[in-house]
Amino acid sequence: MTLLEGSKVRDAILAELRPRVEAVASSGRPPGLAVVLVGGDPASAIYVRNKVKACRDLGIHSVHAAPPEATTTEELLAIVAGLSASEEIDGILVQMPLPKHIDERRVLLSVPPGKDVDCFHPLNVGNLVSNAAGPRACTPSGVMEMLRRYDIPVAGKRAVVVGRSDIVGKPMALMLLHANATVTICHSRTAGLEDECRRADILVAAIGRPAFIRGSFIKPGAVVIDVGINRIVDRAEAGRIFAADSERLARFDEKGSLVTGDVHPLEVAHAAAFTPVPGGVGPLTIAMLMANTVASAEKRCSA
Ligand code: NDP
């Protein structure tokens, strides 16, 4: 079984972006990304820190706006409007989830499509649906890069995507469709999920439930892409999933938590290839965010 290593693919993507960043910078100013984080959610704060660091490492100018939790929709719209008008900014990312009192849809609609590096704007979603040029959602496009760079054929294959969120499942299914896979989308109301999954040559799990996809869901020789990132803090749950992996349990006992995907990591030996969690799809999301920002800056340069 081949372990599909996200860090290798990420490094290759970033190495290819470097000269493109330099080319943009030499034509006036470097690409610029603004990241807006409302409130102090610790998980979001880590994501944002990693995004800002990735920009710094690559030579992308970054702006980090951090309005407080109590920020109103109108105030947030004003922040986004300021960034939209800024000559220095090519991409705007509003970190999700937003506090409940904020009208998320209005905020996402206010990001101009040309600076929408997350591909949340309906115009960019429409471009994805019709396979027209434009930014693509970062996590699924990272998965496509992973498949491409590991020479995993997609055309003519049967792909099953479990999960239909706007951020991962739906764009993932569309990208696989555009790459000529025969695609099935499954969700919480799918009947016979296990049978559907077992038909997959390429199985993508984007569910948000630790170790939910068991070995019996996986066809021998399938390529299994695990998008899930689940932090387990309950010792009993860790014990159930990792009963046969004393090393990982010891690590749980040391740290009090561990991260696992949506696929049972001890039941994938009969797959042809698998993305481990952590270390599989995870590292690619930020790399694709950088790629979308650079592409947006290049468009500005050639305009
Ligand atoms: P959402 O909660 O938005 O969507 C989850 C999807 O899984 C839904 O479509 C839901 O179906 C489906 N689902 C839930 N339970 C079941 C079930 N029992 N059987 C079948 N389908 C089910 O999650 P996201 O798409 O945002 O994220 C999915 C996972 O990917 C999470 O673990 C998240 O942390 C991870 N993630 C990882 C990223 C990365 O960089 N690697 C980036 C983004 C997310 P329904 O629509 O019917 O409710």
Side-chain angles (χ1 to χ4, degrees):
M1 204 239 324
T2 305
L3 272 187
L4 304 172
E5 293 178 60
S7 52
K8 283 192 185 159
V9 175
R10 174 200 58 205
D11 291 348
I13 293 168
L14 294 179
E16 288 167 18
L17 287 177
R18 217 168 283 279
R20 290 172 57 190
V21 171
E22 283 161 14
V24 170
S26 67
S27 75
R29 62 161 177 80
L33 175 69
V35 184
V36 183
L37 171 63
V38 182
D41 176 56
S44 296
I46 294 172
Y47 291 138
V48 167
R49 228 181 9 250
N50 290 340
K51 286 166 185 171
V52 170
K53 180 178 180 308
C55 286
R56 204 172 42 237
D57 292 348
L58 205 56
I60 292 177
H61 167 66
S62 71
V63 172
H64 176 194
E69 182 84 19
T71 303
T72 63
T73 299
E74 298 304 329
E75 286 165 342
L76 185 54
L77 288 171
I79 292 171
V80 173
L83 295 167
S84 304
S86 167
E87 292 282 317
E88 289 186 353
I89 296 301
D90 299 295
I92 301 171
L93 181 150
V94 182
Q95 184 68 42
M96 298 291 142
L98 288 170
K100 292 221 166 8
H101 65 273
I102 290 182
D103 185 340
E104 191 170 294
R105 193 169 162 76
R106 272 184 77 198
V107 173
L108 293 180
L109 275 171
S110 77
V111 175
K115 294 190 178 187
D116 169 38
V117 280
D118 253 343
C119 192
F120 284 156
H121 194 283
L123 188 101
N124 289 326
V125 175
N127 283 334
L128 166 63
V129 172
S130 59
N131 204 17
R136 296 292 189 252
C138 298
T139 302
S141 60
V143 172
M144 296 310 289
E145 282 296 316
M146 178 83 98
L147 295 172
R148 189 170 73 79
R149 288 169 191 258
Y150 271 94
D151 287 325
I152 293 170
V154 176
K157 300 295 178 189
R158 193 177 286 275
V160 173
V161 179
V162 191
R164 57 174 165 180
S165 70
D166 291 343
I167 300 172
V168 189
K170 276 184 213 158
M172 183 77 259
L174 285 161
M175 287 180 209
L176 288 163
L177 179 67
H178 295 322
N180 296 316
T182 301
V183 182
T184 302
I185 306 174
C186 299
H187 45 78
S188 66
R189 308 288 292 275
T190 295
L193 179 67
E194 184 172 340
D195 289 341
E196 293 293 346
C197 291
R198 217 177 15 239
R199 277 193 275 274
D201 302 309
I202 300 171
L203 177 61
V204 181
I207 309 166
R209 290 177 177 243
F212 180 82
I213 301 288
R214 308 297 302 257
S216 58
F217 289 48
I218 299 168
K219 178 166 88 172
V223 172
V224 180
I225 305 290
D226 191 353
V227 179
I229 300 178
N230 309 293
R231 181 169 295 281
I232 298 180
V233 292
D234 176 17
R235 178 63 173 76
E237 187 176 24
R240 261 195 317 275
I241 297 172
F242 295 107
D245 186 345
S246 53
E247 214 174 280
R248 226 180 300 207
L249 276 180
R251 239 179 294 145
F252 178 95
D253 289 335
E254 201 180 296
K255 292 177 62 183
S257 70
L258 59 76
V259 170
T260 195
D262 292 339
V263 178
H264 199 302
L266 307 181
E267 299 182 4
V268 286
H270 57 299
F274 175 56
T275 58
V277 178
V281 175
L284 300 178
T285 300
I286 291 184
M288 299 318 292
L289 174 67
M290 299 297 113
N292 282 349
T293 305
V294 174
S296 172
E298 287 172 337
K299 221 167 157 193
R300 180 241 315 154
C301 287
S302 65

